[in-house]
């Protein structure tokens, strides 16, 4: 494999703090409090979003129609990516929003902040559904690809939760602070931190199944995707290098082979991979949409006038894809009761 720079732009007046991609756009967040949009099909700058007051800390697309952003001002903003307007701005945390993650169904989202809370958001109603107090501030939260579990990261510790019970099923403890984490499969986690090692852990046994030296300096971010039946891990380090590794999922104990590397000669802070949807690929990442999800997101029924409807309740396709778990029913039950009470009083 070879790496060639084909688009470069001086995006911000301060360092970048977050980046996200879907099948067309790349968005970048910065300490200059702005979100810049880039159209990767045309390789042009598309504009800027100026809703936040504070460093942009997290960005995540859901399909092709929505973007969620979080910042140090404690806000989570939901954006429509067709018109790039803010559909809803939620005061999510008393402190900074440090990380957020959208459930694969698009109906739930999780966020963590510097107020020592983990918050569940009902995106169908656009409001808070559940608040869990944490002993310490978590700086990373992530859903698994199947949406059956999620993980939080507090310094060097990873807590694994089950969705149906909302309780911790296991804990992984690393030697140093964890800077990035991603699900390779529903059961395998790749963890990178303040050293030069990448470690793969089993969510079931919480044991390290493979580790290898990836860089000469600490690793800032990690990403993964599938292309041409090959699973690829991409790593970015403070040493300026971006490296791509081929992982055999049938032999996870084997050290991944290096596909290519490039020296950007920059101090890297974040990383995302944009894949051209025109080429044949099978994406295995919760940060980008498959073509079938993209078709669903094209439907105009997702957003209705002033009411924020992240996913239409009548969307039968979504129901077929994801069965409603008891945990989801428990989270949505209070909202349904409130609605009935409000209607009866009216």
């Amino acid at each position: 494999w070879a790496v060639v720079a084909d688009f470069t732009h001086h995006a911000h007046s301060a360092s970048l703090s977050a980046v996200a991609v879907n099948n067309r756009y790349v968005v970048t967040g910065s300490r200059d409090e702005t979100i810049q949009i880039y159209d990767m099909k045309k390789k042009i700058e598309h504009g800027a979003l100026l809703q936040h007051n504070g460093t942009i800390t997290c960005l995540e697309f859901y399909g092709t129609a929505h973007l969620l952003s979080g910042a140090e001002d404690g806000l989570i903003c939901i954006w429509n990516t067709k018109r790039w307007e803010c559909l809803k701005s939620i005061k999510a945390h008393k402190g900074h929003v440090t990380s957020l993650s959208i459930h694969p169904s698009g109906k739930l989202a999780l966020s963590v902040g510097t107020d020592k809370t983990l918050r569940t958001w009902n995106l169908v109603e656009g409001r808070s559904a559940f608040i869990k107090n944490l002993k310490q501030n978590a700086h990373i939260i992530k859903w698994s690809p199947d949406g059956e579990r999620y993980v939080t990261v507090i310094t060097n510790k990873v807590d694994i939760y089950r969705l149906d019970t909302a309780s911790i099923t296991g804990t992984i403890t690393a030697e140093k602070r964890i800077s990035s984490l991603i699900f390779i499969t529903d059961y395998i986690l790749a963890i990178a931190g303040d050293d030069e090692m990448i470690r793969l852990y089993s969510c079931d046994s919480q044991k390290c199944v493979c580790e290898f030296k990836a860089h000469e300096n600490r690793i800032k971010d990690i990403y993964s995707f599938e292309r041409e039946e090959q699973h690829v891990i991409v790593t970015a380090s403070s040493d300026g290098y971006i490296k791509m590794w081929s992982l055999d999922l049938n032999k996870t104990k084997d050290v991944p082979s290096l596909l290519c590397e490039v020296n950007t000669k920059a101090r890297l802070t974040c990383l995302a991979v944009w894949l051209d949807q025109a080429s044949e690929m099978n994406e295995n990442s919760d940060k980008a949409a498959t073509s079938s999800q993209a078709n669903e997101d094209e439907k105009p029924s997702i957003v209705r006038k002033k009411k924020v409807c992240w996913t239409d309740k009548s969307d039968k396709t979504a129901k077929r894809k994801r069965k409603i778990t008891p945990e989801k029913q428990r989270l949505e039950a209070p909202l349904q009761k409130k609605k009935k009470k409000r209607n009866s009083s009216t």
Side-chain angles (χ1 to χ4, degrees), residues 165-240:
T165 61
S167 59
I168 297 174
T169 60
T171 300
I172 297 169
T173 304
E175 293 181 6
K176 294 187 177 181
R177 185 182 186 275
I178 296 169
S179 59
S180 183
L181 169 150
I182 195 163
F183 278 91
I184 301 296
T185 68
D186 294 327
Y187 307 99
I188 300 294
L189 275 171
I191 295 174
D194 286 354
D195 58 14
E196 63 276 8
M197 305 294 290
I198 297 286
R199 294 177 176 87
L200 304 183
Y201 285 89
S202 166
C203 289
D204 295 328
S205 66
Q206 293 90 53
K207 292 183 179 179
C208 182
V209 296
C210 176
E211 66 176 2
F212 62 99
K213 182 177 179 180
H215 292 270
E216 297 300 324
N217 207 327
R218 63 180 179 176
I219 299 164
K220 295 296 292 183
D221 212 345
I222 184 171
Y223 203 96
S224 75
F225 64 93
E226 281 187 17
R227 193 184 184 103
E228 298 171 355
E229 299 182 355
Q230 189 174 29
H231 202 96
V232 180
I233 298 175
V234 189
T235 58
S237 171
S238 295
D239 60 14

XYZ file of all heavy atoms in Angstrom, residues 165-240:
597
model
N -28.472 -4.877 31.180
C -28.426 -4.752 32.640
C -27.873 -3.407 33.098
O -28.046 -3.029 34.262
C -27.553 -5.868 33.245
O -26.212 -5.754 32.736
C -28.108 -7.247 32.895
N -27.181 -2.691 32.201
C -26.535 -1.404 32.532
C -25.549 -1.542 33.687
O -25.302 -0.595 34.431
C -27.578 -0.336 32.847
N -24.990 -2.748 33.839
C -24.033 -3.000 34.918
C -22.687 -3.430 34.331
O -22.614 -3.933 33.199
C -24.559 -4.086 35.857
O -24.784 -5.292 35.157
N -21.637 -3.232 35.121
C -20.282 -3.580 34.673
C -20.104 -5.095 34.672
O -20.362 -5.761 35.665
C -19.228 -2.914 35.577
C -19.338 -1.387 35.481
C -17.819 -3.364 35.195
C -18.428 -0.642 36.439
N -19.670 -5.632 33.532
C -19.438 -7.077 33.425
C -17.959 -7.425 33.488
O -17.607 -8.597 33.638
C -20.025 -7.626 32.119
O -19.398 -6.962 31.003
C -21.529 -7.387 32.055
N -17.101 -6.429 33.377
C -15.669 -6.683 33.444
C -14.889 -5.380 33.357
O -15.417 -4.343 32.947
N -13.624 -5.443 33.763
C -12.755 -4.267 33.744
C -11.395 -4.639 33.190
O -10.826 -5.671 33.548
C -12.595 -3.678 35.163
O -13.880 -3.301 35.667
C -11.691 -2.458 35.148
N -10.886 -3.803 32.295
C -9.541 -3.962 31.740
C -8.679 -2.827 32.271
O -9.076 -1.655 32.210
C -9.572 -3.922 30.200
C -10.393 -5.094 29.643
C -8.160 -3.930 29.630
C -10.698 -4.975 28.155
N -7.518 -3.158 32.812
C -6.614 -2.139 33.361
C -5.320 -2.121 32.559
O -4.641 -3.147 32.442
C -6.309 -2.417 34.838
O -7.535 -2.486 35.576
C -5.447 -1.305 35.423
N -5.012 -0.968 31.984
C -3.777 -0.800 31.218
C -2.680 -0.220 32.115
O -2.956 0.274 33.211
C -4.022 0.111 30.030
N -1.450 -0.281 31.630
C -0.326 0.218 32.416
C -0.289 1.747 32.447
O 0.090 2.338 33.452
C 0.991 -0.323 31.846
C 1.151 -1.836 32.013
C 2.475 -2.321 31.458
O 3.303 -1.463 31.062
O 2.688 -3.543 31.426
N -0.682 2.372 31.346
C -0.635 3.830 31.261
C -1.982 4.381 30.801
O -2.882 3.630 30.448
C 0.477 4.266 30.300
C 1.868 3.910 30.802
C 2.939 4.512 29.913
C 4.336 4.213 30.449
N 5.395 4.821 29.608
N -2.098 5.696 30.812
C -3.345 6.355 30.430
C -3.752 5.962 29.009
O -2.920 5.914 28.103
C -3.191 7.870 30.513
C -4.483 8.640 30.258
C -4.235 10.139 30.303
N -5.476 10.897 30.198
C -6.060 11.229 29.039
N -5.492 10.868 27.897
N -7.185 11.918 29.031
N -5.033 5.691 28.823
C -5.557 5.284 27.519
C -6.005 6.536 26.759
O -6.787 7.339 27.265
C -6.744 4.307 27.686
C -6.253 3.020 28.359
C -7.390 4.001 26.343
C -7.372 2.104 28.818
N -5.494 6.689 25.545
C -5.837 7.869 24.745
C -6.867 7.557 23.667
O -7.580 8.454 23.202
C -4.579 8.442 24.083
O -3.972 7.462 23.258
N -6.962 6.293 23.244
C -7.902 5.933 22.198
C -8.285 4.469 22.319
O -7.501 3.639 22.797
C -7.296 6.197 20.817
O -8.233 5.911 19.798
N -9.501 4.179 21.874
C -10.029 2.815 21.984
C -11.023 2.594 20.848
O -11.767 3.506 20.484
C -10.699 2.652 23.340
C -11.555 1.426 23.654
C -11.479 1.117 25.146
C -13.014 1.673 23.264
N -11.038 1.383 20.288
C -12.002 1.085 19.229
C -12.338 -0.406 19.252
O -11.499 -1.239 19.613
C -11.461 1.500 17.845
C -12.588 1.529 16.813
C -10.324 0.599 17.391
C -12.250 2.301 15.560
N -13.590 -0.721 18.910
C -14.003 -2.115 18.780
C -13.556 -2.639 17.413
O -13.955 -2.099 16.380
C -15.523 -2.247 18.904
C -16.030 -2.275 20.319
C -16.386 -1.102 20.964
C -16.147 -3.473 21.008
C -16.860 -1.119 22.269
C -16.615 -3.505 22.308
C -16.966 -2.333 22.948
N -12.729 -3.684 17.425
C -12.360 -4.350 16.178
C -13.502 -5.254 15.733
O -13.882 -5.295 14.564
C -11.067 -5.178 16.357
C -9.908 -4.265 16.800
C -10.699 -5.908 15.068
C -9.520 -3.219 15.791
N -14.062 -6.010 16.675
C -15.280 -6.794 16.473
C -16.190 -6.512 17.669
O -15.875 -5.673 18.513
C -14.983 -8.304 16.391
O -14.531 -8.768 17.677
C -13.895 -8.600 15.358
N -17.300 -7.240 17.763
C -18.192 -7.068 18.916
C -17.527 -7.488 20.213
O -17.977 -7.089 21.295
C -19.466 -7.899 18.719
C -20.304 -7.395 17.554
O -20.290 -6.170 17.317
O -20.953 -8.214 16.886
N -16.457 -8.288 20.120
C -15.846 -8.863 21.323
C -14.364 -8.515 21.495
O -13.791 -8.825 22.529
C -15.990 -10.396 21.300
C -17.408 -10.848 21.093
C -17.865 -11.245 19.851
C -18.311 -10.870 22.154
C -19.184 -11.650 19.661
C -19.624 -11.262 21.985
C -20.056 -11.658 20.727
O -21.360 -12.049 20.549
N -13.760 -7.888 20.497
C -12.335 -7.561 20.572
C -12.145 -6.047 20.593
O -12.646 -5.326 19.723
C -11.550 -8.161 19.387
C -11.681 -9.690 19.359
C -10.082 -7.755 19.461
C -11.030 -10.391 20.530
N -11.416 -5.558 21.593
C -11.106 -4.140 21.738
C -9.642 -3.880 21.401
O -8.763 -4.647 21.816
C -11.354 -3.685 23.174
C -12.763 -3.265 23.600
C -12.795 -3.088 25.106
C -13.177 -1.995 22.908
N -9.391 -2.814 20.667
C -8.018 -2.356 20.448
C -7.820 -1.101 21.286
O -8.606 -0.160 21.212
C -7.766 -2.056 18.981
N -6.769 -1.111 22.092
C -6.531 -0.015 23.030
C -5.145 0.576 22.788
O -4.158 -0.151 22.644
C -6.649 -0.517 24.488
C -8.096 -0.967 24.770
C -6.225 0.557 25.474
C -8.276 -1.611 26.119
N -5.090 1.906 22.733
C -3.824 2.619 22.577
C -3.737 3.689 23.645
O -4.754 4.204 24.108
C -3.732 3.247 21.194
N -2.495 4.021 24.038
C -2.350 4.993 25.107
C -1.039 5.722 25.091
O -0.414 5.907 24.037
N -0.617 6.139 26.269
C 0.589 6.950 26.401
C 1.861 6.113 26.345
O 2.805 6.324 27.117
C 0.530 7.749 27.709
C -0.450 8.901 27.625
O -0.983 9.137 26.529
O -0.694 9.547 28.655
N 1.878 5.139 25.466
C 3.106 4.420 25.146
C 3.037 4.037 23.672
O 2.115 4.438 22.957
C 3.312 3.192 26.050
C 2.164 2.199 25.977
O 1.334 2.314 25.046
O 2.082 1.318 26.834
N 4.005 3.270 23.203
C 4.080 2.966 21.773
C 3.401 1.655 21.391
O 3.509 1.197 20.254
C 5.563 2.915 21.341
C 6.381 1.822 21.999
C 6.925 2.205 23.372
O 6.527 3.271 23.868
O 7.739 1.441 23.907
N 2.641 1.061 22.316
C 2.054 -0.262 22.108
C 0.570 -0.194 21.742
O -0.160 0.662 22.218
C 2.208 -1.109 23.366
C 3.634 -1.249 23.886
S 4.710 -2.158 22.760
C 4.032 -3.812 22.930
N 0.150 -1.127 20.877
C -1.261 -1.389 20.622
C -1.582 -2.745 21.251
O -0.859 -3.714 21.042
C -1.576 -1.452 19.112
C -1.287 -0.117 18.453
C -3.032 -1.879 18.879
C -2.299 0.961 18.753
N -2.685 -2.803 22.004
C -3.054 -4.062 22.659
C -4.481 -4.430 22.297
O -5.366 -3.570 22.303
C -2.901 -3.941 24.179
C -1.452 -3.754 24.633
C -1.329 -3.570 26.144
N 0.061 -3.476 26.565
C 0.760 -2.339 26.598
N 0.178 -1.199 26.244
N 2.024 -2.340 26.989
N -4.684 -5.708 21.971
C -6.019 -6.223 21.679
C -6.501 -7.023 22.880
O -5.794 -7.902 23.380
C -5.993 -7.112 20.433
C -5.443 -6.492 19.141
C -5.564 -7.486 17.989
C -6.146 -5.199 18.799
N -7.711 -6.714 23.342
C -8.277 -7.382 24.515
C -9.591 -8.071 24.152
O -10.349 -7.592 23.306
C -8.550 -6.376 25.635
C -7.321 -5.892 26.371
C -6.617 -4.780 25.921
C -6.876 -6.523 27.529
C -5.502 -4.312 26.599
C -5.767 -6.064 28.224
C -5.080 -4.960 27.753
O -3.973 -4.506 28.429
N -9.853 -9.173 24.849
C -11.143 -9.845 24.737
C -12.109 -9.225 25.747
O -11.777 -9.102 26.931
C -10.998 -11.345 25.008
O -12.251 -11.941 25.222
N -13.304 -8.837 25.289
C -14.302 -8.252 26.202
C -14.839 -9.308 27.165
O -15.279 -8.972 28.265
C -15.458 -7.659 25.404
S -15.027 -6.171 24.500
N -14.819 -10.561 26.754
C -15.357 -11.629 27.597
C -14.406 -12.008 28.733
O -14.811 -12.113 29.890
C -15.678 -12.861 26.748
C -16.798 -12.597 25.759
O -17.686 -11.787 26.086
O -16.784 -13.184 24.669
N -13.128 -12.204 28.399
C -12.160 -12.631 29.412
C -11.381 -11.465 30.012
O -10.720 -11.621 31.038
C -11.181 -13.632 28.808
O -10.375 -13.014 27.810
N -11.459 -10.286 29.366
C -10.689 -9.086 29.760
C -9.169 -9.334 29.723
O -8.400 -8.658 30.401
C -11.080 -8.582 31.163
C -12.489 -8.034 31.252
C -13.498 -9.107 31.620
O -13.316 -9.803 32.617
N -14.560 -9.240 30.851
N -8.758 -10.313 28.933
C -7.332 -10.622 28.821
C -6.770 -10.102 27.505
O -7.479 -10.027 26.505
C -7.117 -12.138 28.916
C -7.415 -12.717 30.297
C -7.127 -14.201 30.343
C -7.404 -14.784 31.733
N -7.144 -16.238 31.780
N -5.485 -9.739 27.528
C -4.805 -9.254 26.327
C -4.496 -10.448 25.418
O -3.803 -11.388 25.824
C -3.515 -8.529 26.707
S -2.623 -7.846 25.292
N -5.022 -10.415 24.200
C -4.811 -11.520 23.264
C -3.657 -11.234 22.310
O -3.116 -12.151 21.683
C -6.089 -11.835 22.462
C -7.195 -12.308 23.384
C -6.560 -10.611 21.672
N -3.266 -9.963 22.196
C -2.150 -9.614 21.311
C -1.649 -8.217 21.656
O -2.439 -7.334 22.014
C -2.607 -9.653 19.845
S -1.352 -9.124 18.650
N -0.347 -8.006 21.571
C 0.212 -6.671 21.720
C 1.426 -6.530 20.810
O 2.141 -7.494 20.550
C 0.595 -6.387 23.180
C 1.715 -7.223 23.745
C 2.073 -6.788 25.169
O 1.439 -5.876 25.709
O 3.015 -7.372 25.720
N 1.618 -5.329 20.294
C 2.747 -5.091 19.404
C 3.145 -3.624 19.452
O 2.317 -2.757 19.734
C 2.428 -5.509 17.965
C 1.300 -4.748 17.329
C 1.549 -3.689 16.464
C -0.029 -5.105 17.565
C 0.517 -2.990 15.867
C -1.074 -4.411 16.970
C -0.796 -3.350 16.121
N 4.415 -3.360 19.176
C 4.925 -1.990 19.163
C 4.568 -1.360 17.825
O 4.965 -1.850 16.767
C 6.435 -1.978 19.376
C 7.029 -0.572 19.428
C 8.516 -0.596 19.707
C 9.085 0.821 19.721
N 10.532 0.846 19.994
N 3.815 -0.272 17.869
C 3.338 0.360 16.639
C 4.131 1.617 16.284
O 4.311 1.919 15.107
C 1.857 0.702 16.766
N 4.609 2.350 17.293
C 5.282 3.624 17.042
C 6.456 3.802 17.992
O 6.678 2.994 18.902
C 4.294 4.785 17.200
C 3.233 4.826 16.141
N 3.379 5.513 14.955
C 1.999 4.263 16.087
C 2.286 5.374 14.223
N 1.429 4.622 14.889
N 7.172 4.905 17.782
C 8.304 5.251 18.641
C 7.897 6.231 19.731
O 8.696 6.544 20.604
C 9.433 5.866 17.798
C 10.026 4.924 16.766
C 10.638 3.678 17.392
O 11.215 3.789 18.499
O 10.526 2.601 16.781
N 6.659 6.692 19.671
C 6.174 7.651 20.658
C 4.738 7.277 21.009
O 4.196 6.311 20.482
C 6.246 9.073 20.087
C 6.395 10.130 21.168
O 5.861 9.966 22.273
N 7.103 11.209 20.867
N 4.109 8.030 21.906
C 2.758 7.686 22.340
C 1.765 7.772 21.188
O 1.890 8.594 20.290
C 2.321 8.591 23.489
C 2.215 10.060 23.150
C 1.780 10.848 24.364
N 1.689 12.277 24.082
C 1.254 13.171 24.949
N 0.868 12.787 26.149
N 1.203 14.445 24.622
N 0.773 6.923 21.241
C -0.239 6.832 20.186
C -1.423 7.705 20.567
O -1.981 7.572 21.653
C -0.670 5.365 19.974
C 0.553 4.538 19.542
C -1.779 5.262 18.939
C 0.370 3.055 19.669
N -1.816 8.589 19.643
C -2.884 9.550 19.929
C -4.256 9.059 19.515
O -5.262 9.396 20.127
C -2.578 10.885 19.233
C -1.334 11.594 19.767
C -1.504 11.999 21.210
C -2.545 13.098 21.367
N -2.656 13.555 22.776
N -4.325 8.287 18.428
C -5.640 7.844 17.957
C -5.505 6.548 17.166
O -4.433 6.235 16.629
C -6.288 8.925 17.086
C -7.811 8.938 17.213
O -8.368 7.946 17.747
O -8.440 9.920 16.783
N -6.612 5.828 17.080
C -6.643 4.542 16.385
C -7.987 4.411 15.681
O -9.012 4.903 16.167
C -6.399 3.386 17.381
C -6.334 2.041 16.651
C -7.441 3.348 18.481
C -5.870 0.910 17.560
N -7.984 3.781 14.517
C -9.201 3.619 13.708
C -9.127 2.255 13.033
O -8.038 1.695 12.885
C -9.254 4.725 12.646
C -10.631 5.035 12.107
C -11.384 6.077 12.634
C -11.175 4.316 11.053
C -12.640 6.398 12.141
C -12.427 4.619 10.547
C -13.159 5.654 11.095
O -14.398 5.959 10.599
N -10.269 1.711 12.636
C -10.258 0.429 11.930
C -11.366 0.383 10.890
O -12.388 1.055 11.025
C -10.405 -0.739 12.919
O -11.738 -0.853 13.379
N -11.148 -0.413 9.851
C -12.150 -0.598 8.805
C -11.846 -1.884 8.039
O -10.767 -2.478 8.195
C -12.175 0.597 7.846
C -10.902 0.791 7.051
C -10.752 0.234 5.791
C -9.854 1.546 7.566
C -9.589 0.410 5.058
C -8.686 1.734 6.842
C -8.555 1.163 5.582
N -12.815 -2.312 7.246
C -12.623 -3.480 6.387
C -12.656 -3.035 4.939
O -13.488 -2.224 4.540
C -13.713 -4.524 6.638
C -13.473 -5.360 7.880
C -14.471 -6.502 8.006
O -15.117 -6.826 6.985
O -14.613 -7.042 9.105
N -11.756 -3.581 4.150
C -11.712 -3.278 2.721
C -11.175 -4.493 1.983
O -10.125 -5.025 2.339
C -10.833 -2.054 2.457
C -10.985 -1.499 1.049
C -10.020 -0.348 0.832
N -10.219 0.238 -0.480
C -10.860 1.371 -0.717
N -11.375 2.038 0.295
N -10.991 1.850 -1.932
N -11.919 -4.925 0.962
C -11.518 -6.076 0.148
C -11.204 -7.279 1.034
O -10.172 -7.935 0.884
C -10.320 -5.700 -0.728
C -10.621 -4.589 -1.722
C -9.377 -4.079 -2.427
O -8.270 -4.525 -2.071
O -9.527 -3.226 -3.310
N -12.124 -7.549 1.980
C -12.030 -8.694 2.884
C -10.755 -8.658 3.730
O -10.257 -9.688 4.166
C -12.118 -10.008 2.106
C -13.435 -10.180 1.354
C -13.515 -11.507 0.633
O -12.519 -12.242 0.633
O -14.597 -11.796 0.083
N -10.245 -7.470 3.946
C -9.053 -7.300 4.771
C -9.368 -6.331 5.900
O -9.921 -5.253 5.657
C -7.903 -6.764 3.912
C -6.552 -6.752 4.620
C -5.437 -6.344 3.669
O -5.664 -5.597 2.720
N -4.234 -6.832 3.902
N -9.041 -6.719 7.130
C -9.286 -5.841 8.266
C -8.035 -4.996 8.512
O -6.934 -5.517 8.669
C -9.624 -6.644 9.516
C -10.377 -5.829 10.527
N -11.748 -5.846 10.640
C -9.942 -4.919 11.434
C -12.120 -5.010 11.583
N -11.048 -4.434 12.077
N -8.244 -3.682 8.536
C -7.123 -2.751 8.625
C -7.242 -1.904 9.890
O -8.316 -1.396 10.207
C -7.071 -1.832 7.386
C -5.889 -0.859 7.481
C -6.981 -2.651 6.112
N -6.142 -1.784 10.617
C -6.038 -0.884 11.765
C -5.136 0.279 11.368
O -4.067 0.076 10.796
C -5.446 -1.614 12.997
C -6.352 -2.767 13.431
C -5.251 -0.642 14.155
C -5.761 -3.593 14.559
N -5.597 1.494 11.659
C -4.816 2.694 11.341
C -4.462 3.394 12.646
O -5.315 3.585 13.511
C -5.606 3.660 10.432
C -4.702 4.774 9.929
C -6.235 2.913 9.271
N -3.204 3.755 12.795
C -2.742 4.389 14.031
C -2.044 5.712 13.715
O -1.386 5.858 12.689
C -1.767 3.480 14.800
O -0.644 3.159 13.946
C -2.447 2.190 15.221
N -2.210 6.678 14.624
C -1.539 7.975 14.502
C -0.812 8.264 15.803
O -1.355 8.032 16.890
C -2.541 9.080 14.206
N 0.406 8.775 15.699
C 1.241 8.981 16.880
C 1.780 10.395 16.947
O 1.816 11.122 15.949
C 2.409 7.980 16.860
O 3.356 8.284 17.864
N 2.208 10.761 18.150
C 2.840 12.067 18.344
C 4.146 12.178 17.578
O 4.661 13.297 17.380
C 3.098 12.305 19.838
O 1.884 12.386 20.541
N 4.702 11.029 17.134
C 5.948 11.075 16.363
C 5.713 11.528 14.919
O 6.657 11.650 14.135
C 6.659 9.721 16.382
C 5.823 8.590 15.782
O 4.816 8.880 15.108
O 6.175 7.415 16.003
N 4.437 11.780 14.560
C 4.130 12.279 13.228
C 3.778 11.212 12.214
O 3.365 11.529 11.093
